[in-house]
Amino acid sequence: MHAEDKALVALFEGLDTPGVSDALDKLGLPGHCFGVMPLDNYKQVVVGPAFTVKYVSASVPPGTVGDFIEEVAEGDIVVIDNDGRTDCTVWGDIMTQYAGARKIAGTVIDGVCRDVNKALGDGYPLFTQGRFMRTGKDRVQVESVNQPVSIGQARVCSRDIIVADANGVVVVPRERAQEVAQVARQIEAVEADIRALISEGRTLKQARDALNYHTLQRKS
């Protein structure tokens, strides 16, 4: 991973998707990947730059489905736009094994995966619209890599910062990463203070009112 990528990823250390989501709302930015859910209740937050892949229906003869993986760098998150298709998969056990060996951080799919036991057993982070066993070979093919894609209604450009955890997936525009991370930290600090007041015996309403909870994520 390049130094600039490492610096942007480091901005989100200790943050999670709820905090980043609230920051996106406050800044008036889109980036919530609707319907894309974690394969498992991951305890760790996965953060990395997006390596984007666009799939389309296969031509005659059909094109390839997975050769792009050789171009993905260590620490990247593979972000696959399969147009939300749930009738055929674009990720299985071989891809999981190879991605893990290359230390790819995880995979996000607007579509489905298969061979989930391999991903679960290896602890490889997968975030998808679901699971289905039917192969995508001869049904879909790669059209482009590192071009803008749509994931759960969110636009993702190459090298945008992906933050994913047990709650789902959010996309941070690369050029706004520092701002988003800063706002997310401010919001999470206030929420920590609210929890501290509750621990001291304040009512929920008292704690929230004292720290303006209801305006935390309101657009500035």
Side-chain angles (χ1 to χ4, degrees):
M1 188 185 296
H2 295 302
E4 183 180 348
D5 288 329
K6 289 181 179 179
L8 293 177
V9 169
L11 291 172
F12 295 87
E13 185 176 352
L15 295 174
D16 58 16
T17 60
V20 175
S21 171
D22 287 351
L24 291 173
D25 282 344
K26 191 167 187 67
L27 294 169
L29 297 173
H32 308 84
C33 297
F34 297 106
V36 179
M37 299 301 295
L39 189 65
D40 198 9
N41 288 322
Y42 303 118
K43 294 181 179 180
Q44 301 298 319
V45 181
V46 181
V47 184
F51 182 101
T52 60
V53 183
K54 173 64 179 174
Y55 274 85
V56 294
S57 297
S59 59
V60 179
T64 63
V65 294
D67 290 350
F68 67 83
I69 198 71
E70 304 288 355
E71 302 174 39
V72 185
E74 179 179 330
D76 282 2
I77 295 179
V78 179
V79 178
I80 300 175
D81 179 357
N82 195 29
D83 199 30
R85 287 182 65 161
T86 58
D87 64 319
C88 64
T89 186
V90 290
W91 192 274
D93 57 353
I94 295 174
M95 295 289 280
T96 292
Q97 179 176 332
Y98 197 64
R102 291 175 60 85
K103 298 184 179 178
I104 292 168
T107 300
V108 175
I109 307 172
D110 194 359
V112 294
C113 64
R114 72 176 188 177
D115 302 316
V116 297
N117 285 341
K118 176 64 174 173
L120 292 169
D122 288 0
Y124 182 79
L126 270 176
F127 303 83
T128 78
Q129 296 273 10
R131 56 187 81 179
F132 194 55
M133 83 300 295
R134 192 181 189 213
T135 182
K137 287 183 289 187
D138 298 340
R139 296 187 172 98
V140 292
Q141 65 187 49
V142 174
E143 180 182 58
S144 63
V145 298
N146 287 326
Q147 296 296 316
V149 297
S150 292
I151 304 292
Q153 303 178 34
R155 178 183 173 89
V156 186
C157 296
S158 175
R159 314 317 288 172
D160 281 349
I161 302 301
I162 305 297
V163 183
D165 60 20
N167 302 286
V169 180
V170 288
V171 182
V172 179
R174 186 178 181 87
E175 66 277 7
R176 304 290 294 274
Q178 187 166 355
E179 184 181 9
V180 171
Q182 181 179 3
V183 172
R185 290 191 185 282
Q186 292 169 350
I187 290 172
E188 293 200 352
V190 173
E191 291 188 344
D193 289 342
I194 290 172
R195 290 192 294 270
L197 289 176
I198 292 171
S199 297
E200 293 170 4
R202 300 280 191 97
T203 67
L204 180 60
K205 185 178 188 308
Q206 287 173 337
R208 284 178 166 178
D209 288 348
L211 293 165
N212 298 313
Y213 171 79
H214 295 291
T215 65
L216 277 182
Q217 81 289 348
R218 190 170 297 164
K219 186 176 178 181
S220 300

